[in-house]
Amino acid sequence: MNAFQRNESKETLFTFISAGDDPPKGDFPLQKKSPKLCGSNYPLSIAFIVVNEFCERFSYYGMRAVLTLYFLSYFHWDENLSTAVYHAFSALCYFTPVIGAIMADSWLGKYKTIIYLSIVYVVGHLIKSVGAIPSMGNQAVHVVLSMIGLFLIALGTGGIKPCVSAFGGDQFEEEHTAERSKFFSIFYLSINAGSLISTFVTPVLRGDVKCFGEDCYALAFGVPAALMVLALGE
C-alpha cells in the first residue's frame, strides 16, 4: 500500500454530516442537568443564592443603620462631618457596581467576581468590627480601621450587586421562564426582608447590650459581619 492509499484509508474513518442531518447519538454525550430543588424545576443552587442575598443585605443595612450614631458618639465627630462621611460611603457603594460589572464581563465572569469580592466584603466587615473595640488603640487607630473597613465594604457590596441576580437567572433552563420569574420575586423579597429585619435588630444590639462599659458597637458591627461570613459560606 503506497502513501496515497494509506491517507485515503485514513480519510474513510471520518464521516461528514450535512447541516440538515442529525449527529450520531453516541458521539455527543448529553449535558448533565443541575440538581433540582425537591423534585421541582427550580435548580438547587437558587436556594443558596436567595439565602446568600438575605444575609448580605442584612449585613449591609444592619451596619449602615448605626453608622452615623457610631461617628457621633464613638468618634465624637460633629453632625456635618458624620453626615458627609456617611453620604460619601453611600455614594461609593453605588459607584462600585460599575467596577463589578467590568470585572464580570471582561475578566473573571459572574461567579468568580461574586466569590472574590465577597471575600473583600467579609474582610471589610471584620476590620470595621475590630475598629469598634475600645482596646484596639487610640481614636486615630479606630478611625483608620473604620475607613479601611468601609472602603472594602463599599467595594464588596457594590461589586457583587450587578452579578448576583443575573447569576441566579442563569441557573434556569430556557424553557423554565415561569420558574425564573418566581425566583426573581423571591430574590427581591429576600433583599427587602434582610434589609427590614436588620434595621430593627442592629440598633437594639447597639443600645440594649453593653460591652466595654458602653454601647456595644463591636457587637452591632460583628453580627452583620457574621451574617456576611455565612453568606460567603453559602
Side-chain angles (χ1 to χ4, degrees), residues 3 15-16 70 94 113 126 132 142 175 224:
T15 57
F16 295 91
Y70 178 67
Y94 286 99
T113 300
L126 294 177
H142 294 160
E175 63 269 21

Side-chain angles (χ1 to χ4, degrees), residues 28-219:
F28 300 94
L30 294 175
Q31 184 177 2
K32 185 178 179 181
K33 294 185 178 181
S34 59
K36 302 298 182 182
L37 187 63
C38 299
S40 66
N41 290 325
Y42 293 93
L44 181 61
S45 56
I46 68 165
F48 298 101
I49 293 173
V50 170
V51 174
N52 177 288
E53 190 64 17
F54 173 86
C55 295
E56 189 275 324
R57 289 290 87 186
F58 187 104
S59 71
Y60 173 73
Y61 282 100
M63 180 276 303
R64 209 178 73 163
V66 296
L67 188 58
T68 304
L69 288 174
Y70 178 67
F71 293 153
L72 290 169
S73 62
Y74 196 81
F75 289 165
H76 303 293
W77 289 352
D78 60 39
E79 206 169 298
N80 291 333
L81 179 58
S82 300
T83 303
V85 174
Y86 175 84
H87 286 295
F89 167 71
S90 299
L92 184 60
C93 290
Y94 286 99
F95 172 75
T96 50
V98 178
I99 299 175
I102 294 172
M103 289 177 62
D105 290 342
S106 304
W107 183 22
L108 296 175
K110 290 188 282 288
Y111 178 75
K112 288 184 178 180
T113 300
I114 293 170
I115 293 297
Y116 294 158
L117 291 183
S118 292
I119 294 173
V120 173
Y121 202 166
V122 168
V123 172
H125 268 298
L126 294 177
I127 292 175
K128 186 76 181 67
S129 301
V130 170
I133 299 175
S135 59
M136 287 306 296
N138 56 25
Q139 183 174 345
V141 174
H142 294 160
V143 171
V144 170
L145 290 175
S146 295
M147 293 304 104
I148 293 174
L150 288 176
F151 175 78
L152 295 178
I153 290 171
L155 181 60
T157 187
I160 68 175
K161 191 183 295 293
C163 304
V164 178
S165 59
F167 182 70
D170 289 344
Q171 305 306 303
F172 291 87
E173 298 166 10
E174 290 298 325
E175 63 269 21
H176 298 151
T177 55
E179 287 81 0
R180 186 187 290 117
S181 298
K182 290 180 182 178
F183 158 72
F184 283 116
S185 298
I186 298 171
F187 179 81
Y188 288 108
L189 175 63
S190 70
I191 290 176
N192 292 319
S195 306
L196 178 64
I197 295 172
S198 66
T199 303
F200 287 102
V201 170
T202 309
V204 172
L205 294 175
R206 192 267 321 168
D208 294 355
V209 180
K210 301 297 180 181
C211 57
F212 308 105
E214 54 189 43
D215 289 346
C216 198
Y217 285 100
L219 180 63

